[in-house]
Amino acid sequence: MRYFYLVLLVVALGLFWLTEETLEGEMRVVDTAVLSRFQVWRAPALDRLAVGISLLGAAPGTLLMTILAYLKLARRDGRTLLVVMAGGTVLTVCLKQIFAVTRPSPVDSLLPAAGFSYPSGHALMAVCLYGYLGFLAWRARKPWLTALCLALVLSIEWSRLYLNVHWPSDILAGTLTASLWLAFCLSQRR
């Protein structure tokens, strides 16, 4: 258990550092370089795939998946899922307003996106939803389902970068924020 708290501390410190660097504009050079690499991959088939995957991380997609999962889960697991998702939603809305980081240039975007970008709501909610479901699958000794959940998270995050609607730092911040929130929820669940 000692290592669990050590990992959480490292994640929290990493998130604070990333946020400070992002707000000071220090991450923009790295963000721009990474996004330019994604533009090299552009192809019509990948464009359609990225839009479809991105919809899984959008509010309607995560809401639908949350409802379906809730209906299948045991009472305690379902209640925890609702807490995880409600907290993730509050974190997404509040943090975006607090940090007010603008998105990459919409001229290059394949999918219109509005509002602030930091942290990525798609990444945050994907980690909350599929991270929690992956934890339940791991606990149930279903490694293939755990791997599927991880693949969904990574695919949603990839799609947001490919579609040029988020900076890499947004994705990382969403992932780290959700990881901390999910870890807190799981620690309280016990």
Side-chain angles (χ1 to χ4, degrees), residues 7-17 180:
V7 169
L8 285 183
L9 178 62
V10 169
V11 170
L13 291 173
L15 179 59
F16 288 129
W17 174 84
L180 290 171

Side-chain angles (χ1 to χ4, degrees), residues 15 57-59 62 83-101 103 114-129 160 166 170-171 173-179 181:
L15 179 59
T62 57
V83 169
V84 168
M85 295 305 288
T89 301
V90 169
L91 284 168
T92 298
V93 171
C94 290
L95 293 176
K96 282 180 180 280
Q97 293 305 311
I98 289 168
F99 298 125
V101 175
R103 293 180 181 272
F116 297 119
S117 68
Y118 187 92
S120 166
H122 278 68
L124 199 153
M125 297 306 288
V127 171
C128 284
L129 175 60
R160 303 305 284 172
H166 274 294
D170 301 340
I171 300 294
T175 301
L176 295 175
T177 302
S179 298
W181 172 241

Side-chain angles (χ1 to χ4, degrees), residues 2 8 12 15 23 41 51 53 91 98 125 134 140 143-144:
R2 178 177 64 206
L8 285 183
L15 179 59
L23 295 178
W41 298 354
V51 169
I53 290 171
L91 284 168
I98 289 168
M125 297 306 288
W144 65 271

